Amino acid sequence: MRLIHVVVIGMLVFAAAYVYRIKMDSTVRTEKVLQLHAEVRKEREAIAQLRAEWAKLDAPGRLQGIAERHLKLKPITARQFDQLKNLPARPPSIVNPNDPDPIASMIEKIDPDIVTGALPAREAAQ
């Protein structure tokens, strides 16, 4: 009987140690999760701060002031536009319309069967 009592007490100690180990693992993991939540919150705050800074830098009034200070632009007036009759003439045509098509002549030099539509002997046999 005494041996059974020692074995049962040993099993109880082992079970208690195992449960304690599981509890410590879960505590460590819980702390890790809380740490990750804190890091996520910091990153979200940093993103929000960067978005606010971007909105400030991208504000139309600020950009207008910078453009006026650094660019010598003037407002467009209606007199700046011209009429179609004042456009320059079309540039002269580079290719004479009576000349043969240069691309077709290159293709004919490479493979005359393509232009005539004739099939090569091996494709006609199939």
Side-chain angles (χ1 to χ4, degrees):
M1 246 354 221
R2 202 173 226 193
L3 181 64
I4 293 177
H5 290 290
V6 171
V7 170
V8 168
I9 291 173
M11 287 176 38
L12 286 173
V13 169
F14 177 74
Y18 185 70
V19 168
Y20 182 75
R21 186 175 136 223
I22 291 174
K23 179 191 173 277
M24 289 306 293
D25 287 345
S26 67
T27 303
V28 168
R29 289 183 180 176
T30 302
E31 289 174 358
K32 180 71 173 171
V33 167
L34 292 174
Q35 182 183 15
L36 290 174
H37 281 296
E39 288 178 20
V40 167
R41 187 175 55 249
K42 283 182 186 178
E43 292 299 322
R44 286 186 178 162
E45 289 172 0
I47 289 171
Q49 183 179 7
L50 289 172
R51 284 188 177 157
E53 185 178 349
W54 178 259
K56 177 185 161 192
L57 294 174
D58 199 34
R62 178 184 170 276
L63 293 177
Q64 180 69 32
I66 291 172
E68 288 173 357
R69 269 184 278 145
H70 298 288
L71 300 176
K72 305 298 183 218
L73 300 177
K74 297 177 185 173
I76 297 175
T77 62
R79 291 178 290 168
Q80 286 180 279
F81 297 104
D82 206 356
Q83 297 177 356
L84 290 177
K85 67 180 181 178
N86 295 332
L87 288 176
R90 266 184 203 239
S93 178
I94 297 172
V95 178
N96 188 355
N98 298 327
D99 289 345
D101 185 11
I103 296 174
S105 63
M106 284 189 275
I107 293 174
E108 287 175 359
K109 289 178 186 175
I110 295 172
D111 193 0
D113 292 335
I114 293 175
V115 178
T116 60
L119 292 175
R122 65 174 182 248
E123 291 180 11
Q126 292 176 356

